[in-house]
Amino acid sequence: MNVRNQQDKFAARRWLAGASFAAMALTLSTGALAQDSTQADAAPQTAAEGEVADIVVTGFRQSLGAAINLKRQTVGSVDAIVAEDIAKFPDQNLAESLQRIPGISIQRDGGEGRAITVRGLGAQFTRVRVNGLETVATSTDGASSNRDRAFDFNVFASELFSSLVVHKTAEASLDEGSLGAVVDLNTGNPLAGKSGFTFVGSATGSYNDLSKKWGPRLAGLLSWKSPDGQWGVALSAAYSKLDTLQMGNNTVRWSQARFDSVDGTRCFTAPNSGGSYIPSAACDEAALAFHPRIPRYGEIAQERERLGVTGSIQWAPSDATKVSIDGLFSRFRETREEKWGEVLLRSNERSIDVVNPVYDSNNNMVSATLNDAWVRTEHYLRKSQTKFYQLGATWDQDVSDSLRFTLLGGFSKSDASIPVETTLVFDDRDAQGYSYDYSNMRRPVLTFGTSVTDPANFQLAEIRDRPSSTVNKFRTAQLRTEWDVTDGFTVKAGAVYRRFSFDTEGFTRDTVVCGNGGVDRVLGTVNCSPSSAFGPGAIYGLPVTSALAELYTLKGANAPAGTTTQWLVPNLAAGTDYTNLYERALAVDAGNTRGVVEKTTGGYIQFDAKGDIFGLEYAANAGIRYVKTDQSSTGLNNGQLVGVSRSYEDWLPAANIAFFPHRDIIIRASVADVMTRPSLGNLTPGGSVDGFNYRVSFGNPYLNPFRATAYDLAFEWYFAPQSVFSVAAFKKDVQSFPISQTITGTFASTGLPLSVIPPSSPAAIQPERAEGWAISTIVNGTGASLKGIELSVQAPFTFLPGFLSHFGGIVNATFVDSSADYTVSGPAIVPGGGNIAAVRNATLFGLSKRAFNGTLYYEDEKFSARVSASYRSKYIDQNSGTGNVFEGYNSTINVDASVRYKLTDWIELSLEGINLTDDYRDRYTDLDANRNYEQLHFGRTIQLGARFKL
């Protein structure tokens, strides 16, 4: 066997074992097309079982054919995306590429794909491996870091990767930890390329039509392969920077509360504060209706910068040996700046007089005029950075013709830090004539009745800074062995050791400028009024001057006529310098200071067989995986660091079989026990305090893993070259499913010190109230169920005449349903009463019942074009608060397109458009009422570039 064929053998073995996909994809691409074109036997063949030409994938249609062939050769359910060529991935974002696969939907942040949902199961249920090593990449979303097991795909530049593979069904030899899927990301294989030097480079300019800014996107790869095929070295790098805007409105949920008066009817015996409630039809109706907590318009500006570097060294001194060392470094920086003009109804309804309220059929006060309203403007800045490192090594060895092993080991680290997370607040706490109108729920009219451009109307009332860091580390060692007992029967066995550590720290410099009277807490120069004081003479902050403020003008938010579009916001540089914010001592944020260490040891045995039964060809594998998890959790409780250790074991049997009734037809079936370890945030023995909504949350380090039995049945028809029609039905019975449990009690009953209550919240002044606190924890629930079906068709239109034969298409649809019981807190039924707890049946979080994806492409020798559309139906994302039952996102549709023209064999020009419909992110609160939580859009991104290859 020559060295080239030896590389094909190792590539196939490592991919089938789950360790590597890139080499298999590249070396088998032409074999895939040849097999499709001749309609060869469909039974699985590894690359080692036949001669494969030394050809690299170069076109989109060929990459689709390679992916089809790899899908065709597996026993379980696998889908793949293969790069068209070296350093040329078909989408600008890995998550956006994955959404083209049946059963996968994505969640976007700032207009980019960030996390994935597989067959209705959210990101925490999906395990991700980079070059065969499980890892977690953490970035930020909204106002916080990802502090869970979810993988953030936006950390990496897509140009660094040559292939993605999604394992939708389990095997004993496949790493555990997933209820949804195992996703392999692969950075390439220098021994799969041609001999000598290869250089590829690309330069692109990206333009966002909302921010009106350009940014660079650069990538390059240099590889070398020795003439004898024994040595290969590759180095790639990618850099991009882009400024984007998010524009729109937000309510930060809706809530119920009692007001000071309604249409002149007094609701309390004393105005603005104190006294007792006076029931009446007008006051009761307003108190039981839902109103926006913080109605506001504004913008979110994001500056994102990515740098990624990969390196690979491979050595194959003989037909029996191959050693690979792969490294990856990525740095993702983001600056997020927000400017909002709002009214803070939240917890301040007691002082507000309501005039001309209008109610709708969903019990919403959709419009009203407010007097004595708490007007607020905010300026927020967060600087974050994620650094990701990984180094891994693989040794493939043939001990004999029938016995071989793979030894894999390495480590990774994801360090997400937020050194600056600053907010400054201007308040005007007795504003008159403010009005809101949510008759059009997604495009409200928000009008300030008093001047919000006059510094004299404001006081600098609150300063915040919340630095934090989250670090994930993996160390892995794994041995895989294979023994061909006889022709058509192989025994696989292996062992694994994995250590995962998660540590997050949070700190605050938050303070309100004034407490309940006395000298201010920031400069000590202002005599504050008591909290009960109200009116123009009340002092609750530092005086605002023009030097501390800047004028903001709202543009691009699609706000209706009548909406106020100019207001003052704090000048961050001047305000932080004036208040010495960054010189203030840091206090520990107890709820965001915790850690988890998991040591995993285990092994597996699996039997692979192929043959025929009564003339019907089949390929199958069956085995069992054992894993022991030693888990240690730490957190802050009552100001003390608390640690809890525990261990648990799992036996995970799995079986897959594929039948071949015809050379172009495959019927697959799978059954397996699977598990996902509990959410990291739920495992802390500590607690967190929300002093705005009077809620305390505790973790539970004794939570059981999510455990389920998964079933899969699929039919695939390879009806033409590079073509497939497939139907897959799947079902998961989840035996254990952690749920929230809430009781009502006093703050004193929690045992927490008063110092953990956020100083800017109402509870800092009034820690106990008649309604009590909602005290929540997570307990082991009774389980859930999920079932669905995937449909997919992919084909080039070679049956059409002339130039039409250069077209092709991909269409897939996923229909999923699930059932789980949640404990939720619904609306209050008496004015001022507590929320009513109840058990509500709904879908799993993150599950869209319908998802559709389609791509139409054209490709000839010089010119290629693609247009893709992705639709995802609405879904619930999490439990909500303030009486709303769940919250989530309404349906989305994203359209992307690209055009490429090859000037010469080594230069290609490209034009791409992302989010061409400028789709809005429509977040809602309350599943039944679908109230506006957030309505933002991100603009379109246009990319113009060139690519060259030598």
Side-chain angles (χ1 to χ4, degrees):
M1 178 184 293
N2 61 34
V3 173
R4 174 64 192 181
N5 290 331
Q6 167 211 342
Q7 303 310 325
D8 298 336
K9 174 187 68 176
F10 283 130
R13 190 172 85 219
R14 291 177 63 201
W15 174 71
L16 292 172
S20 175
F21 179 74
M24 183 74 168
L26 293 171
T27 57
L28 286 186
S29 57
T30 302
L33 302 179
Q35 183 181 22
D36 280 342
S37 62
T38 59
Q39 299 295 288
D41 290 344
Q45 301 282 325
T46 67
E49 293 171 330
E51 299 295 318
V52 182
D54 184 4
I55 297 178
V56 177
V57 175
T58 58
F60 180 68
R61 183 177 293 188
Q62 288 174 298
S63 72
L64 296 178
I68 284 178
N69 191 60
L70 294 169
K71 175 182 180 68
R72 188 171 183 169
Q73 290 187 341
T74 60
V75 178
S77 178
V78 169
D79 282 291
I81 299 175
V82 181
E84 299 179 43
D85 200 350
I86 299 172
K88 185 182 176 185
F89 214 73
D91 286 281
Q92 297 302 308
N93 182 285
L94 296 180
E96 292 166 14
S97 292
L98 285 167
Q99 72 177 336
R100 318 291 181 209
I101 289 177
I104 294 183
S105 300
I106 69 172
Q107 191 166 11
R108 294 175 182 265
D109 173 32
E112 285 190 337
R114 179 170 182 258
I116 67 171
T117 296
V118 182
R119 290 181 166 180
L121 291 168
Q124 68 160 322
F125 297 104
T126 297
R127 299 279 67 78
V128 176
R129 303 186 299 190
V130 177
N131 292 327
L133 298 174
E134 183 181 347
T135 191
V136 172
T138 301
S139 68
T140 55
D141 181 25
S144 64
S145 295
N146 165 17
R147 297 186 175 103
D148 208 341
R149 300 182 190 272
F151 187 93
D152 290 335
F153 290 90
N154 57 352
V155 170
F156 298 118
S158 59
E159 292 89 344
L160 300 177
F161 296 87
S162 59
S163 63
L164 312 177
V165 61
V166 180
H167 305 265
K168 296 180 181 176
T169 58
E171 297 183 4
S173 58
L174 192 65
D175 288 344
E176 85 293 334
S178 164
L179 261 64
V182 175
V183 178
D184 278 314
L185 312 180
N186 301 282
T187 59
N189 184 339
L191 286 179
K194 65 180 182 180
S195 297
F197 284 96
T198 299
F199 177 71
V200 179
S202 65
T204 301
S206 298
Y207 175 78
N208 181 266
D209 71 347
L210 199 55
S211 68
K212 310 296 184 185
K213 293 183 179 180
W214 285 90
R217 189 180 184 105
L218 308 171
L221 178 141
L222 178 64
S223 67
W224 173 79
K225 178 181 174 181
S226 65
D228 59 6
Q230 291 190 9
W231 284 94
V233 181
L235 179 68
S236 66
Y239 173 83
S240 66
K241 185 177 182 180
L242 183 64
D243 297 348
T244 61
L245 282 179
Q246 300 181 50
M247 305 292 302
N249 64 83
N250 190 306
T251 66
V252 199
R253 293 200 304 272
W254 293 54
S255 63
Q256 300 166 293
R258 297 177 294 185
F259 292 89
D260 193 34
S261 71
V262 179
D263 273 339
T265 300
R266 301 300 314 169
C267 300
F268 285 85
T269 56
N272 299 319
S273 65
S276 57
Y277 183 68
I278 306 171
S280 68
C283 293
D284 289 353
E285 184 177 22
L288 293 176
F290 282 83
H291 60 269
R293 296 171 73 235
I294 311 179
R296 61 185 184 174
Y297 271 97
E299 74 170 32
I300 303 170
Q302 291 175 283
E303 299 178 3
R304 289 172 166 167
E305 182 184 41
R306 290 184 185 84
L307 173 65
V309 180
T310 70
S312 180
I313 300 174
Q314 295 183 316
W315 177 47
S318 70
D319 289 357
T321 303
K322 179 182 176 183
V323 177
S324 302
I325 300 175
D326 300 293
L328 171 64
F329 168 78
S330 179
R331 187 191 68 201
F332 176 50
R333 290 175 174 169
E334 182 186 56
T335 299
R336 180 186 179 101
E337 187 174 6
E338 304 181 15
K339 299 175 182 179
W340 299 99
E342 62 200 32
V343 163
L344 198 69
L345 282 87
R346 179 200 67 195
S347 303
N348 298 309
E349 294 89 350
R350 173 64 186 84
S351 69
I352 295 175
D353 298 313
V354 177
V355 181
N356 297 326
V358 176
Y359 305 95
D360 69 6
S361 59
N362 286 319
N363 193 32
N364 298 317
M365 186 191 295
V366 292
S367 67
T369 296
L370 309 178
N371 293 321
D372 291 347
W374 189 317
V375 168
R376 169 170 287 187
T377 70
E378 295 187 35
H379 196 168
Y380 168 90
L381 176 67
R382 184 189 67 209
K383 296 183 178 181
S384 62
Q385 176 175 270
T386 295
K387 288 186 177 180
F388 179 90
Y389 313 83
Q390 178 173 292
L391 183 64
T394 305
W395 174 19
D396 291 307
Q397 182 67 49
D398 281 5
V399 180
S400 67
D401 289 341
S402 60
L403 181 64
R404 52 200 171 270
F405 69 79
T406 296
L407 184 62
L408 175 69
F411 65 89
S412 67
K413 178 182 179 181
S414 176
D415 185 348
S417 62
I418 302 177
V420 174
E421 187 174 359
T422 298
T423 306
L424 297 185
V425 169
F426 286 169
D427 279 351
D428 175 9
R429 298 185 179 179
D430 60 348
Q432 306 299 306
Y434 175 82
S435 66
Y436 71 83
D437 186 351
Y438 280 84
S439 299
N440 182 338
M441 185 61 78
R442 266 59 200 178
R443 293 185 62 211
V445 181
L446 307 182
T447 307
F448 294 92
T450 53
S451 174
V452 286
T453 60
D454 184 356
N457 286 337
F458 288 106
Q459 298 180 42
L460 176 57
E462 188 176 339
I463 60 176
R464 306 175 197 151
D465 187 43
R466 300 172 179 176
S468 63
S469 68
T470 300
V471 178
N472 294 297
K473 296 180 182 178
F474 271 93
R475 293 206 300 260
T476 302
Q478 195 167 90
L479 174 66
R480 302 186 181 105
T481 65
E482 299 179 13
W483 176 32
D484 297 328
V485 180
T486 62
D487 186 28
F489 183 74
T490 298
V491 177
K492 297 178 179 179
V496 62
Y497 167 81
R498 188 186 307 114
R499 186 184 189 276
F500 166 64
S501 65
F502 158 83
D503 288 288
T504 186
E505 292 182 305
F507 303 92
T508 74
R509 292 188 174 99
D510 295 11
T511 186
V512 290
V513 173
C514 287
N516 189 14
V519 179
D520 76 89
R521 301 174 176 179
V522 176
L523 300 180
T525 60
V526 171
N527 291 316
C528 300
S529 302
S531 298
S532 58
F534 193 83
I539 297 177
Y540 43 80
L542 301 172
V544 173
T545 64
S546 58
L548 292 176
E550 61 184 67
L551 183 66
Y552 170 71
T553 301
L554 181 71
K555 296 179 180 179
N558 198 26
T563 297
T564 302
T565 57
Q566 279 194 328
W567 55 83
L568 293 178
V569 297
N571 181 301
L572 286 178
T576 55
D577 182 62
Y578 175 62
T579 59
N580 298 312
L581 174 59
Y582 300 127
E583 306 302 318
R584 295 179 64 84
L586 287 169
V588 175
D589 181 356
N592 287 317
T593 300
R594 59 184 188 271
V596 176
V597 175
E598 291 174 345
K599 295 181 181 179
T600 301
T601 53
Y604 67 88
I605 186 167
Q606 178 175 304
F607 305 97
D608 290 16
K610 62 181 181 180
D612 62 82
I613 303 175
F614 303 115
L616 179 63
E617 290 186 65
Y618 76 91
N621 63 59
I624 191 167
R625 187 177 189 91
Y626 165 78
V627 59
K628 181 184 179 184
T629 304
D630 295 308
Q631 189 178 82
S632 300
S633 305
T634 58
L636 292 175
N637 197 324
N638 200 17
Q640 301 296 318
L641 186 65
V642 179
V644 175
S645 298
R646 64 177 298 211
S647 297
Y648 53 87
E649 298 177 323
D650 284 276
W651 294 88
L652 303 171
N656 296 268
I657 190 166
F659 292 104
F660 308 92
H662 185 273
R663 63 183 181 182
D664 300 326
I665 294 175
I666 304 176
I667 299 173
R668 305 183 194 274
S670 174
V671 60
D673 284 344
V674 292
M675 59 88 79
T676 290
R677 295 174 178 89
S679 299
L680 297 172
N682 291 340
L683 288 173
T684 176
S688 62
V689 176
D690 177 357
F692 295 97
N693 298 301
Y694 287 84
R695 299 174 66 180
V696 177
S697 300
F698 286 98
N700 182 354
Y702 296 101
L703 284 176
N704 292 327
F706 299 85
R707 294 186 173 103
T709 301
Y711 307 89
D712 196 272
L713 181 64
F715 170 85
E716 298 165 8
W717 175 29
Y718 298 85
F719 56 89
Q722 304 173 46
S723 305
V724 62
F725 167 75
S726 65
V727 180
F730 53 89
K731 185 175 186 293
K732 297 183 191 292
D733 292 328
V734 185
Q735 288 85 39
S736 59
F737 190 83
I739 60 173
S740 175
Q741 186 178 75
T742 303
I743 62 172
T744 300
T746 64
F747 186 80
S749 70
T750 67
L752 296 171
L754 293 175
S755 60
V756 302
I757 299 176
S760 60
S761 67
I765 298 172
Q766 184 183 353
E768 302 290 4
R769 63 174 185 167
E771 297 89 342
W773 287 70
I775 304 170
S776 301
T777 190
I778 303 295
V779 297
N780 293 308
T782 57
S785 64
L786 177 151
K787 57 185 176 183
I789 188 169
E790 295 172 357
L791 305 171
S792 180
V793 180
Q794 175 178 322
F797 300 161
T798 51
F799 55 89
L800 295 177
F803 79 96
L804 296 176
S805 64
H806 294 286
F807 282 93
I810 309 168
V811 179
N812 63 68
T814 305
F815 304 92
V816 190
D817 198 8
S818 67
S819 177
D821 290 331
Y822 302 90
T823 300
V824 299
S825 295
I829 59 175
V830 297
N835 300 125
I836 304 302
V839 175
R840 176 71 179 265
N841 184 271
T843 63
L844 295 170
F845 292 163
L847 182 145
S848 292
K849 290 188 175 183
R850 298 176 305 280
F852 306 97
N853 290 287
T855 298
L856 178 67
Y857 65 87
Y858 175 92
E859 186 174 66
D860 60 28
E861 292 181 355
K862 292 284 188 179
F863 179 79
S864 66
R866 297 197 298 274
V867 59
S868 299
S870 299
Y871 167 83
R872 181 179 186 181
S873 65
K874 67 181 292 186
Y875 61 95
I876 60 175
D877 185 56
Q878 59 186 1
N879 276 321
S880 192
T882 59
N884 296 274
V885 178
F886 302 120
E887 58 191 50
Y889 295 86
N890 284 309
S891 62
T892 61
I893 183 166
N894 290 91
V895 179
D896 305 326
S898 68
V899 176
R900 296 177 182 271
Y901 183 75
K902 186 179 292 185
L903 287 177
T904 68
D905 288 341
W906 56 280
I907 297 180
E908 182 182 67
L909 304 180
S910 64
L911 175 64
E912 302 184 54
I914 301 168
N915 190 28
L916 293 177
T917 59
D918 192 13
D919 194 51
Y920 274 66
R921 182 169 69 186
D922 183 358
R923 188 177 180 185
Y924 69 86
T925 186
D926 198 275
L927 179 62
D928 303 316
N930 203 280
R931 302 179 178 104
N932 176 352
Y933 190 118
E934 179 183 71
Q935 183 80 356
L936 294 172
H937 72 130
F938 318 99
R940 304 166 183 85
T941 299
I942 307 300
Q943 298 186 338
L944 178 65
R947 180 178 181 277
F948 52 92
K949 179 180 178 181
L950 301 175

